[in-house]
Amino acid sequence: MLFLIYWELNEETDALDRLKAAEKLTAAGLFPPQDVEVVRFDTTPDLWGVTLVEADDVGSVSSVINSWRIACPGIFRSTKISPARPVQEAMESAAEMIKKLS
């Protein structure tokens, strides 16, 4: 199942601390988590980004964000996690629903 993670970094968290956290998580094998496939991991110049992952359950996806929070407290200003699917699939489902309700 696909999950979309939206995150905003806290500008008050030192960039060096963020880099150290990334090194720590990678060295410990915590990012990416073993049971999560990272499809995309993108950032913007404004310190927000998205991570698209594939996982079997929400607990595995939560570990993506929680590992960063533990490695670098205060790293995020905000986060959002939600299941996701391709727009084409959503459109097909909506069309089926409309058909049944018409």
Side-chain angles (χ1 to χ4, degrees):
M1 179 176 217
L2 288 175
F3 291 87
L4 185 63
I5 304 169
Y6 167 84
W7 44 268
E8 293 179 30
L9 294 177
N10 180 352
E11 292 180 1
E12 294 181 16
T13 302
D14 187 68
L16 184 56
D17 290 340
R18 292 193 303 262
L19 289 172
K20 287 179 182 177
E23 291 172 357
K24 193 184 313 184
L25 290 169
T26 303
L30 295 173
F31 187 81
Q34 292 181 352
D35 51 353
V36 173
E37 178 188 344
V38 176
V39 178
R40 296 286 306 230
F41 187 36
D42 298 329
T43 188
T44 69
D46 286 335
L47 297 178
W48 64 270
V50 294
T51 307
L52 180 64
V53 299
E54 190 161 346
D56 292 332
D57 57 78
V58 175
S60 298
V61 177
S62 295
S63 67
V64 173
I65 291 294
N66 290 335
S67 62
W68 284 93
R69 285 183 176 132
I70 292 167
C72 186
I75 190 169
F76 297 115
R77 187 168 57 170
S78 71
T79 61
K80 294 179 184 182
I81 299 174
S82 182
R85 64 180 175 162
V87 171
Q88 185 63 31
E89 288 180 21
M91 289 172 55
E92 289 170 4
S93 293
E96 276 297 313
M97 212 177 293
I98 291 168
K99 192 177 192 180
K100 287 180 181 180
L101 293 171
S102 297

